[in-house]
Amino acid sequence: MKLAIVLGTRPEIIKMSPIIRECEKRGMQYYILHTGQHYSYEMDRIFFDQLKLPEVKYKLNVGSGFHGKQTGKMLAEIEEILIKDRPDIVLVQGDTNTVLAGALAASKLHIKVGHVEAGLRSFDRAMPEETNRVVTDHISDYLFAPTETSKNDLLNEGIPDEKIFVTGNTVVDSAYQNLEISKKSCNVLEELELREKEYFIITAHRAENVDDKKRLNGILKGLSQIYEELKLPVIFPAHPRTVKMIKEFRFEVPEGTRLIEPLGYLEFLQLLNGAKLILTDSGGVQEESCILKVPCVTLRDNTERPETIDVGANIIAGTGDKIIASVQKMINSSLNWINPYGNGNSGELILGSLE
Ligand code: UD1
Ligand code: UDP
């Protein structure tokens, strides 16, 4: 059996890393195809270096652009590679344009598609990611759902039971495999002059938040209120999209908030682990905060990770006046929830099912 692992963005590299490690361990025949959707050092290469991942066999340079152009370019170029170097199964992870292009290219060539992190639904079709999730799930042959909730969402859409495997989420494998390494290899709290549980973190990059002047302004206002009321620093490792939009809208970063470059995974895990609370619109970060027992305030109107809300680790705050009240509520909540995303053996379960 030959696998092609298609990836292209920061979260895909991180969440595919346990699967890549497992392929190496089992001596499987596989290759990595990188679309180049993310390309800046701190959004791409740094993760290969820190996670000690093998070199990619095929590297496209698709880069940024409108959805159609970006996805179309990937589709054409992935297809060429899959014809030349035909695998038995293409594996994709998550909900980006890279995932859609990889799954579509394979499906049209009658190559089996495995979707890691299948069945997540925000039920909000305004999100580009929701379209990518739905289409990818419906053209996949093996659907690796992280939880029973995601499995049920797939069943409700008519996807046959025999295609679905509940495996937990590889984000847990990745966090467990790297937290100890991170403790030994860096000391980001000292570098940033922070004390454990005496700071907040924020990440934001969703198109519907940061490309929207009112919503981005609402988030910055929320950060200003947090500092005013709680007097603790707010660390903001910012995605390049967000930095670009803050400049474009000529917004000021509020007092108490420190806008910094995106961090490496090891540094980010450590910073997250030591935080009092995290505010985010990221999918992966909602899961990681739940795994590391750090309360989360989600800066969106919905989430495709309802398990984090159900266990009491997360709250939906939107991007306006509810932010400060949500922070107040979550910093006083108990931290004894159970992580719903598995015990860190998802990579093993996924490859086991495929074999
Ligand atoms: C993409 C995914 C999103 C995922 C996120 C992970 C889609 C539709 N969106 O969003 O689901 O949560 O990745 O981070 O696939 N840029 C750089 N350097 C880079 C990459 C991007 O400067 O390496 C800047 C460019 O200005 C670019 C912008 O970020 O225009 C957006 O990049 P893009 O890949 O289109 O979307 P993301 O917001 O990263
Ligand atoms: N992350 C990181 N450095 C940062 C911010 C996030 O390494 O400065 C990691 C984080 O630990 C998580 C992943 O990036 O594993 C999430 O990626 P992102 O928020 O870009 O995408 P999403 O999960 O929303 O698709």
Side-chain angles (χ1 to χ4, degrees), residues 26-42:
R26 291 173 186 237
M28 287 189 61
Q29 208 191 337
Y30 80 100
Y31 65 81
I32 304 172
L33 190 170
H34 190 317
T35 61
Q37 179 172 348
H38 283 177
Y39 44 83
S40 303
Y41 174 78
E42 65 278 6

Side-chain angles (χ1 to χ4, degrees), residues 9-11 37-40 43 64-65 67 70 95-98 128-129 132 205-206 239-241 244:
T9 65
R10 167 167 77 182
Q37 179 172 348
H38 283 177
Y39 44 83
S40 303
M43 297 298 288
S64 309
H67 287 268
Q70 188 185 49
D95 55 18
T96 67
N97 288 346
T98 291
E129 291 84 1
N132 294 345
H205 71 280
R206 293 254 92 81
H239 188 292
R241 176 178 210 128
K244 188 173 77 180

Side-chain angles (χ1 to χ4, degrees), residues 180-195:
E180 284 311 305
I181 301 177
S182 134
K183 282 179 189 155
K184 283 181 205 138
S185 65
C186 56
N187 192 345
V188 70
L189 269 65
E190 197 176 290
E191 271 167 41
L192 295 173
E193 296 175 351
L194 297 168
R195 281 202 298 262

Side-chain angles (χ1 to χ4, degrees), residues 10-11 14-15 38 42-43 47 95-96 171 203 205-206 237-239 261-266 268-269 272 280-285 288 305:
R10 167 167 77 182
I14 293 168
K15 288 176 168 178
H38 283 177
E42 65 278 6
M43 297 298 288
F47 304 109
D95 55 18
T96 67
V171 73
T203 81
H205 71 280
R206 293 254 92 81
H239 188 292
E261 294 279 307
L263 294 168
Y265 180 56
L266 298 178
F268 187 78
L269 264 189
L272 178 55
T280 193
D281 64 11
S282 157
V285 176
E288 286 165 347
R305 274 90 177 167

Side-chain angles (χ1 to χ4, degrees), residues 6-8 32-39 44 56-63 70 73-81 98 101:
V6 176
L7 46 75
I32 304 172
L33 190 170
H34 190 317
T35 61
Q37 179 172 348
H38 283 177
Y39 44 83
D44 170 27
V56 307
K57 185 165 180 193
Y58 299 103
K59 178 74 199 284
L60 311 178
N61 286 307
V62 168
Q70 188 185 49
K73 235 172 137 184
M74 289 182 203
L75 181 61
E77 295 187 31
I78 295 171
E79 182 177 64
E80 261 177 46
I81 293 166
T98 291

